[in-house]
Each structure stands twice: as C-alpha cells, then as structure tokens.
C-alpha cells in the first residue's frame, strides 16, 4: 500500500523545509507545499525540494478567470508536482480549461499528468460561516454540489474534510480521488480546523490521501510523530 500521508510544510524558510523533507523521506507518501512556502520561495524553491525525489502536492488553490488559471498551471505543472489544485468555486469554464491545460502540458512534455483536484470548502469553515458567505444549506450539501461539478468537468478528485468522505463516495464513486486535510491524531490540538477526524477514521471512510501538518511538523521529533500515526493506521 502506498503511504497515504502528505505532510503539510507550512513555513517560509527553505532550510526548515529542506530539513523536514530530508528527515521525513521514506516515512510519508509526500509533502504538501502551500502559499506560505510558495510566496517566500516561488517556483525555484518548489523545484529545489522536488529534486529530493519526494512527491509534492502543490497546494496553491488557484482561483481566477480561466485564462489566468491556465497560465499559472502552465508554469507550475512544468515542475511536475504529483498533485495540484484549483478552487471549484471558480466555476465550470475555469475547471474545464484547467483540465485541458494540464493534459496538454503533460502530453507535450511527455511526463505523467499530475492529479488535478479541486478545493470544495475550506476545513476552517462550518455551519455558522456559510450564511455570511452567501451559501445556503449545510457544509455537506455545498461540498457534494462542488464535488459533483468538479467530476463533471473532468477533474481527478477534490479536497474535502473527513466528514464529507462518505457522501462524496456515494455520489462520485470509488475512482474519484479524495485528498483530505483536517486530520488530527487523537489528543492533538484542533487549531483552526473545525471538521476533523483521526487518520485511521479518515482512511477507513475512504480517503485516498490525508494531509497532516502541525501534529507532525511542530513535534520535537517529526519522524517519531509520523511513525506513531503509521502505527495507528496499520493497527
């Protein structure tokens, strides 16, 4: 079984990121690099980390008009991340152009196409937040609506909270990839996450990949923290 853990490395510091990646290689399935790292180090920083051979989930949550997203994808796909994402709320035209851009880039450069997934609803949001954003219904209904749209547009999967895994599986099937943040090992601080489950619970419910950050990266011994999580998964 491929290790499903992607570690969220949320730091602007290149040395910190390099040290974490070097120590965690072989213990996790990959690393997630988001806006905090990207804004400080850009594509050259992402490229430097990719040279270490660990799969990268490039979590930039692209959300703009279709042509702008397509242009951004052309630049980012060139460094060959394993997973890249856009915001599903960017709409059908944006997502369809994202799909065609990624496929074209991979075909032209003759490399394996990265998984293109869509963010549905941030795991920091819950029922109380949706009305202020103009959304009706529950977080689950909103996530299912966006997941269905993403699948119809040809994306490989979505980012969702652990609480939406089962209903998305029922609607979108088992081949649709689910990348799941909001994962907290038992006893961990919830931080700014509101819709969470443990790693074992999320995987048993059908997550393909789970994203874990601070419980690992803020640990005194990140490798030991990962191994403890791996032990609970396999138990």
């Amino acid at each position: 079984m491929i290790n499903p853990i992607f570690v969220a490395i949320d730091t602007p510091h290149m040395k910190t990121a390099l040290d974490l990646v070097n120590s965690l290689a072989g213990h996790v399935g990959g690393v997630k690099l988001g806006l905090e790292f990207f804004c400080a180090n850009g594509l050259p920083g992402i490229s430097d980390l990719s040279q270490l051979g660990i799969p990268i989930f490039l979590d930039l949550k692209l959300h703009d008009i279709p042509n702008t997203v397509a242009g951004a994808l052309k630049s980012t796909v060139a460094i060959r991340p394993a997973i890249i994402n856009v915001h599903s709320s960017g709409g059908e035209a944006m997502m369809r152009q994202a799909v065609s851009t990624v496929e074209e880039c991979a075909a032209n450069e003759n490399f394996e196409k990265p998984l293109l997934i869509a963010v549905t609803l941030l795991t920091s949001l819950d029922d109380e937040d949706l009305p202020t954003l103009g959304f009706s219904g529950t977080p689950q209904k909103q996530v299912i609506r966006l997941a269905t749209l993403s699948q119809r547009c040809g994306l490989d999967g979505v980012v969702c909270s652990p609480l939406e895994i089962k209903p998305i599986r029922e609607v979108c099937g088992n081949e649709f990839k689910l990348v799941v943040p909001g994962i907290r090992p038992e006893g961990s601080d919830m931080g700014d996450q509101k819709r969470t489950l443990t790693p074992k619970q999320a995987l048993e419910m059908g997550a393909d990949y789970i994203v874990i950050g601070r419980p690992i990266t803020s640990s005194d011994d990140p490798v030991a923290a990962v191994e403890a999580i791996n032990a609970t998964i396999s138990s």
Side-chain angles (χ1 to χ4, degrees), residues 87-201:
H87 254 295
S88 56
S89 55
E92 184 169 350
M94 187 205 77
M95 287 196 284
R96 288 191 183 279
Q97 187 151 349
V99 170
S100 62
T101 299
V102 171
E103 290 176 347
E104 182 180 339
C105 288
N108 288 344
E109 298 299 325
N110 195 29
F111 60 82
E112 184 176 356
K113 182 185 80 68
L115 291 178
L116 176 63
I117 62 175
V119 176
T120 51
L121 192 68
L122 298 176
T123 53
S124 58
L125 301 175
D126 61 13
D127 295 85
E128 295 181 1
D129 298 302
L130 296 195
T132 66
L133 298 173
F135 296 144
S136 60
T138 64
Q140 184 177 113
K141 288 182 179 179
Q142 177 71 2
V143 168
I144 292 173
R145 183 161 52 242
L146 293 172
T148 303
L149 174 62
S150 301
Q151 186 178 47
R152 190 167 69 242
C153 291
L155 277 77
D156 299 299
V158 293
V159 181
C160 67
S161 92
L163 304 186
E164 286 92 46
I165 295 171
K166 187 174 180 180
I168 292 177
R169 280 277 175 250
E170 291 173 352
V171 173
C172 297
N174 292 328
E175 298 304 312
F176 198 58
K177 300 299 183 184
L178 301 185
V179 179
V180 183
I183 301 297
R184 288 292 182 265
E186 289 187 17
S188 295
D189 180 11
M190 293 299 102
D192 54 4
Q193 305 289 343
K194 294 182 179 179
R195 300 178 350 261
T196 69
L197 286 179
T198 69
K200 186 176 180 66
Q201 288 171 327

Side-chain angles (χ1 to χ4, degrees), residues 5-9 21 24 28-33 54-58:
I5 298 174
F6 271 67
V7 177
I9 299 183
V21 171
L24 293 172
V28 298
V31 296
K32 181 185 80 73
L33 298 172
I54 193 166
I56 290 176
F57 168 18
L58 188 50

